[in-house]
């Protein structure tokens, strides 16, 4: 925030005033200067002690037992800046810069991107909002209001990792994501959204920034959502391309309903990727869950997921996963949580030498600011 007093301001007239008196006179002017805009510093600090069998610290299949301190076990630890300026006539200028943090080591999650989670600027008003920069894809945005586990446990959540491409593991960069393992967020993107009477429409396009092949490394998607009286309906499709123009298609449809202390939610997801050796990998994901607010301080969540993978020339495989969460609010910003998960791999999905069943238990503390 920057403030420069004009020639006739009180601050300029009282250069010899005592510091506290001068500050008291200038504060109203500062408040006036920033009354049409705001900048927020925000974040999440989340750490959990985890014990698991058949899973690594990043929740990949493994053999044996492991104890670990996990950052972002409930929600990804992060630090961000968010700003809004009132332009008048119902118009606002907006920006958001957000980066993931690994609290167990003190490092940023991305080795190459300081603001890996969000980095965009835009404008919003009566005709909708338009944002430009690094943003989440349309499928990821569509899943959020109907996700059975409430977007918890990113590394264990098949909707985040598979449906929304948070860890597709295909070994190639689809879209301008900056990663050969994920496309939850894409660079160089334009996103437009508009809401009317509970109905929200989203459209997104990401430039490839490739001089010789305009569509290679680009992506495009659209989503539609409806919200009214506790009901949430959401669907989206997104297509991303590699440098050699192979396609990765992702889609989801889901619903959630809240009444009283209860919430139930479910969704279907599907991804289909064309790979370098002319084969295809298709993932079909189903999720179903329920949450119960036992009282203002205690909430319980249970979710079930099933993933089936089909690959050209190989046997179908997949896994089934159950996750249970209990959360206790210490305050509006701080909470304790306990989590248990059970995964059963099917037809060798876990890889040779790894356990056929994975289990984990986590105790953690989360603080939002």
């Amino acid at each position: 925030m920057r403030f420069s007093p004009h020639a006739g301001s009180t601050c300029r007239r009282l250069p010899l005033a005592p510091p506290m008196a001068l500050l008291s006179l200038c504060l109203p002017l500062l408040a006036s200067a920033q009354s049409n805009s705001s900048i927020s510093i925000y974040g999440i600090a989340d750490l959990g002690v985890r014990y698991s069998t058949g899973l690594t610290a990043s929740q990949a299949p493994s053999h044996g037992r492991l104890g670990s301190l996990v950052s972002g076990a409930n929600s990804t630890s992060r630090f961000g800046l968010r700003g809004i300026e009132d332009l008048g006539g119902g118009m606002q200028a907006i920006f958001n810069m957000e980066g993931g943090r690994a609290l167990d080591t003190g490092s940023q999650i991305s080795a190459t991107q300081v603001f890996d989670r969000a980095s965009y600027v835009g404008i919003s008003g009566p005709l909708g909002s338009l944002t430009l920069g690094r943003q989440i894809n349309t499928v990821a945005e569509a899943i959020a209001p109907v996700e059975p586990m409430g977007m918890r446990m990113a590394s264990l959540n098949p909707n985040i990792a598979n449906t929304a491409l948070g860890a597709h593991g295909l070994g190639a960069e689809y879209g301008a994501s900056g990663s050969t393992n994920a496309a939850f967020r894409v660079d160089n993107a334009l996103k437009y959204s508009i809401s009317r009477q509970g109905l929200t429409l989203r459209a997104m396009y990401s430039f490839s920034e490739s001089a010789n092949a305009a569509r290679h490394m680009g992506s495009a998607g659209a989503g539609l959502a409806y919200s009214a009286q506790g009901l949430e309906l959401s669907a989206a499709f997104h297509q991303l391309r590699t440098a050699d123009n192979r396609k990765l298609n992702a889609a989801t449809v889901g619903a959630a309903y809240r009444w009283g202390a209860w919430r139930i939610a479910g969704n279907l997801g599907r991804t289909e990727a064309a790979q370098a050796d002319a084969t295809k990998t298709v993932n079909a994901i189903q999720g179903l869950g329920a949450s119960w607010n036992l009282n203002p301080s205690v909430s319980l969540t249970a979710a079930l997921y099933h993933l089936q993978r089909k690959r050209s020339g190989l046997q179908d495989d997949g896994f089934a996963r159950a996750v249970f969460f209990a959360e206790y609010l210490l305050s509006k910003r701080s909470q304790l949580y306990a989590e248990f998960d059970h995964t059963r791999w099917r037809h060798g999905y876990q890889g040779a030498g790894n356990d056929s069943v994975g289990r984990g238990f986590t105790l953690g503390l989360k603080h939002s600011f």
Side-chain angles (χ1 to χ4, degrees), residues 175-194:
S177 62
S179 171
T180 59
N181 185 58
F184 192 93
R185 298 170 177 86
V186 291
D187 301 336
N188 315 320
L190 303 177
K191 182 184 288 186
Y192 173 76
S193 65
I194 186 169

Side-chain angles (χ1 to χ4, degrees), residues 5 97 121 141 150 214 249 252 260 263 273 302 316 322 326 328 335 363:
M97 297 183 292
V121 65
E141 194 160 7
N249 296 326
T252 187
R263 175 187 182 265
D316 295 355
Y328 177 74
Q335 66 179 50
L363 286 174

